[in-house]
Amino acid sequence: MSNNTLEQLAQTLEERKSADPESSYVAKLHHKGLDAILKKVGEEATETIIASKGGNKEEIIYETADLWFHSLVMLSHHGLGPDDVLNELSRRFGLSGIEEKANRKK
């Protein structure tokens, strides 16, 4: 998935955020509020873990796509987008995990 795909998806999610909840799944999630969005993120994380344990690559990809999608909805709820996360990953790139974690405590 390219950054362009993430950007297009984020833009679509923003547009649907204020749509009629009867016509848009994303609008329905936003209408129900943060707890409903977080519940979906949790469900999709669990399904991704189960798929990974099962080892079926197609299921892993499918469930991870659901997890990413719902994570993007959550970010959108907070006025954030994929670039915010990608910028953080870029900041961390080249740091060891131990070094990055130590820097968070400062």
Side-chain angles (χ1 to χ4, degrees):
M1 178 187 276
S2 69
N3 287 357
N4 190 40
T5 302
L6 283 174
E7 290 169 16
Q8 289 174 344
L9 181 55
Q11 181 178 353
T12 300
L13 291 175
E14 278 301 311
E15 291 167 2
R16 293 188 181 161
K17 198 175 185 178
S18 59
D20 178 3
E22 296 299 316
S23 68
S24 167
Y25 174 71
V26 172
K28 186 181 289 186
L29 280 174
H30 281 288
H31 182 74
K32 289 181 177 180
L34 182 58
D35 285 348
I37 295 167
L38 295 176
K39 181 178 178 186
K40 285 304 296 180
V41 171
E43 288 173 8
E44 299 305 340
T46 300
E47 291 172 4
T48 301
I49 292 166
I50 292 167
S52 182
K53 291 286 284 180
N56 181 306
K57 290 182 181 184
E58 287 180 17
E59 287 180 25
I60 295 167
I61 292 167
Y62 182 87
E63 296 301 344
T64 301
D66 281 351
L67 176 59
W68 285 16
F69 176 86
H70 288 90
S71 294
L72 288 170
V73 172
M74 177 204 56
L75 288 170
S76 173
H77 176 85
H78 292 289
L80 300 168
D83 284 343
D84 296 299
V85 177
L86 292 171
N87 289 338
E88 175 60 15
L89 289 172
S90 291
R91 183 191 70 77
R92 293 180 188 186
F93 191 75
L95 293 176
S96 77
I98 294 169
E99 181 183 359
E100 192 281 326
K101 202 167 195 175
N103 287 340
R104 279 192 252 160
K105 293 180 182 178
K106 292 181 181 176

